[in-house]
Amino acid sequence: SQTIHQWPATLVQPVGSPLSLECTVEGTSNPNLYWYRQAAGRGLQLLFYSVGIGQISSEVPQNLSASRPQDRQFILSSKKLLLSDSGFYLCAWTRTFEAFFGQGTRLTVV
Amino acid sequence: AQSVAQPEDQVNVAEGNPLTVKCTYSVSGNPYLFWYVQYPNRGLQFLLKYITGDNLVKGSYGFEAEFNKSQTSFHLKKPSALVSDSALYFCAVRDGGYNQGGKLIFGQGTELSVKP
């Protein structure tokens, strides 16, 4: 069966510090991969998606970047965090129609 | 662009009563529609999807959804609510084919509260 791992679960970082969030998927190959952010409240904003290794599409220009160095690995990064980067970050994958989500990373920038 | 709307921020239901969480969609072409549930500080869990076929779709945990093309709706339903159903529910539509990313676009969510 397929599983998705996302870490860390929580993170507190100072403004201006770098960020690296990692997501890996097991039990499938060549999935589409996604990063979403859920700000305080509830809305889910799609940040990046990838249809293959090294292929990244950005939905919203901002202080973040994404990379896919391996087929089942998706990384969300920032060189310098802003207060506005705080939120709940969710990684997801799909091979057909529905997407499956990781457990999320709660990022607080202080 | 594809979009979904959830007109209710919150739905309150008594345990044992039927529940409905509403969703309307706006798409070009055939819609691929989904429902997800989120518990506090957790990721989203897939409940059910409509791709084609029967308008009544059955999913996990006793939930079902009715696809109505004329009303462009995809409402989530359950015949008898449980207190444990209390959570945040999201409707979503797929934007683009799989090779174009197959992105899910989400509604704003509806908080379901089931009281004993």
Side-chain angles (χ1 to χ4, degrees):
Chain A
S1 63
Q2 301 87 8
T3 56
I4 179 169
H5 302 281
Q6 190 181 341
W7 68 93
T10 60
L11 192 59
V12 180
Q13 293 285 96
V15 169
S17 64
L19 173 73
S20 181
L21 301 181
E22 190 164 342
C23 171
T24 59
V25 181
E26 296 178 355
T28 188
S29 60
N30 197 29
N32 283 356
L33 297 171
Y34 310 89
W35 279 110
Y36 285 86
R37 178 169 61 197
Q38 188 175 26
R42 52 184 67 165
L44 284 155
Q45 180 185 38
L46 178 63
L47 301 176
F48 301 95
Y49 66 94
S50 172
V51 299
I53 297 174
Q55 301 178 63
I56 308 296
S57 297
S58 174
E59 286 292 290
V60 182
Q62 54 198 308
N63 187 42
L64 301 168
S65 62
S67 62
R68 184 171 178 175
Q70 301 180 41
D71 181 43
R72 292 169 291 169
Q73 184 184 28
F74 205 23
I75 298 171
L76 184 69
S77 303
S78 174
K79 292 182 179 179
K80 291 185 177 182
L81 283 169
L82 306 172
L83 288 174
S84 57
D85 291 324
S86 293
F88 192 48
Y89 289 82
L90 291 157
C91 180
W93 71 275
T94 183
R95 278 293 280 127
T96 54
F97 293 101
E98 65 269 29
F100 298 95
F101 284 78
Q103 291 304 300
T105 296
R106 175 75 59 189
L107 172 66
T108 304
V109 183
V110 296
Chain B
Q2 323 287 52
S3 66
V4 291
Q6 295 179 243
E8 300 158 317
D9 284 341
Q10 182 154 5
V11 170
N12 298 309
V13 177
E15 187 175 31
N17 283 1
L19 70 87
T20 298
V21 183
K22 296 179 180 178
C23 173
T24 59
Y25 65 88
S26 174
V27 304
S28 55
N30 294 322
Y32 295 156
L33 297 162
F34 308 83
W35 275 102
Y36 285 81
V37 61
Q38 185 182 32
Y39 295 96
N41 294 309
R42 303 299 295 273
L44 276 67
Q45 295 179 32
F46 169 71
L47 286 177
L48 51 81
K49 67 178 181 282
Y50 173 81
I51 305 301
T52 188
D54 290 343
N55 289 340
L56 185 63
V57 178
K58 294 190 181 296
S60 305
Y61 313 119
F63 284 95
E64 58 190 25
E66 186 172 9
F67 173 70
N68 188 317
K69 188 172 184 178
S70 62
Q71 296 185 9
T72 62
S73 66
F74 188 55
H75 300 332
L76 181 70
K77 301 181 180 183
K78 188 174 183 181
S80 179
L82 300 172
V83 172
S84 57
D85 292 331
S86 299
L88 186 57
Y89 289 80
F90 289 96
C91 181
V93 63
R94 196 172 85 169
D95 183 9
Y98 180 82
N99 292 331
Q100 289 75 46
K103 305 167 289 182
L104 291 188
I105 307 302
F106 288 86
Q108 287 301 299
T110 298
E111 187 79 42
L112 174 66
S113 178
V114 182
K115 301 295 186 186

